[in-house]
Amino acid sequence: MGFKNLFRRCHKDNSESICLDKKIALVGNPNVGKSVIFNNLTGMYVTVSNYPGTTVEISKGVAKLDGKMAEVIDTPGMYSLIPITEEERIGRSILLNECPSVILHIVDAKNLDRMLSFTIQLIEAGLPVILVLNMMDETERMGLSIDIKKLENKLGIPVIPTVGINKKGMDALRNKITEFL
């Protein structure tokens, strides 16, 4: 699809990155727990503002991870790198212009099959992605199980199971993020 060329200037490799600040972008469909993960990472360091020229709100905060500081950006809900809505256009613009050090693709684990196409787009674009399987408690209550290691091997990226509302898995997520910063 040609996504890789769009992101080459920021994500060719870490040594050639034009980004000066460490940034973490949260992406995913609406209602997957992005804001809960955002709050878990940032605590009280949150600012909400409209994206320039729009009424779409963007939350930004600061996370301190193993002594490293990073800006955290909670993007609007999006389903794809091919924007259809204003929110998706802004989410894509953030990925293009903010040059995040790592992208957390947060998904509802019980609907993983419907959400992996976006994960694949992010990977094919050459972006530094961690797949966050949120709502694992609901997934397990439904009797579903996910082989995390097999999924990591198939995708070639880290996969971290979480329950955002209970902060379960957040230490593992923080540790994995620091490897990208």
Side-chain angles (χ1 to χ4, degrees):
M1 286 191 147
F3 290 127
K4 198 164 208 144
N5 291 334
L6 290 173
F7 298 98
R8 185 166 296 165
R9 108 186 137 82
C10 293
H11 301 287
K12 199 169 194 179
D13 66 41
N14 288 339
S15 65
E16 293 185 35
S17 176
I18 64 168
C19 306
L20 300 175
D21 300 324
K22 300 297 181 183
K23 296 180 183 183
I24 303 163
L26 280 61
V27 300
N29 296 178
N31 304 312
V32 295
K34 287 191 323 292
S35 295
V36 173
I37 299 292
F38 175 87
N39 290 336
N40 287 340
L41 290 172
T42 61
M44 62 183 167
Y45 305 107
V46 179
T47 59
V48 177
S49 61
N50 288 342
Y51 193 77
T54 73
T55 59
V56 177
E57 288 187 346
I58 303 295
S59 296
K60 291 186 177 185
V62 175
K64 186 175 182 181
L65 305 160
D66 196 27
K68 299 175 183 177
M69 302 294 282
E71 181 179 37
V72 183
I73 306 165
D74 187 6
T75 67
M78 54 194 293
Y79 296 95
S80 168
L81 286 176
I82 303 167
I84 295 173
T85 66
E86 180 73 2
E87 288 80 8
E88 287 178 321
R89 185 188 65 72
I90 290 167
R92 179 180 158 160
S93 178
I94 289 168
L95 296 180
L96 281 168
N97 299 321
E98 296 287 340
C99 301
S101 304
V102 63
I103 295 164
L104 305 183
H105 182 209
I106 301 165
V107 301
D108 174 351
K110 68 184 178 297
N111 293 303
L112 182 60
D113 56 337
R114 290 192 326 222
M115 300 187 178
L116 278 178
S117 62
F118 188 22
T119 307
I120 304 255
Q121 286 181 3
L122 294 166
I123 294 167
E124 287 178 346
L127 297 168
V129 180
I130 297 173
L131 180 60
V132 180
L133 302 180
N134 199 27
M135 303 181 196
M136 285 298 293
D137 56 335
E138 294 177 21
T139 304
E140 291 165 1
R141 269 199 301 275
M142 292 177 67
L144 302 172
S145 65
I146 299 170
D147 186 332
I148 303 297
K149 286 296 174 199
K150 187 174 183 179
L151 187 57
E152 281 184 329
N153 290 335
K154 291 273 187 193
L155 295 174
I157 62 170
V159 177
I160 307 293
T162 63
V163 180
I165 59 170
N166 296 333
K167 298 184 181 181
K168 184 177 178 186
M170 288 305 300
D171 287 340
L173 180 58
R174 282 185 189 91
N175 290 337
K176 189 53 71 177
I177 292 168
T178 59
E179 294 177 21
F180 287 78
L181 300 180

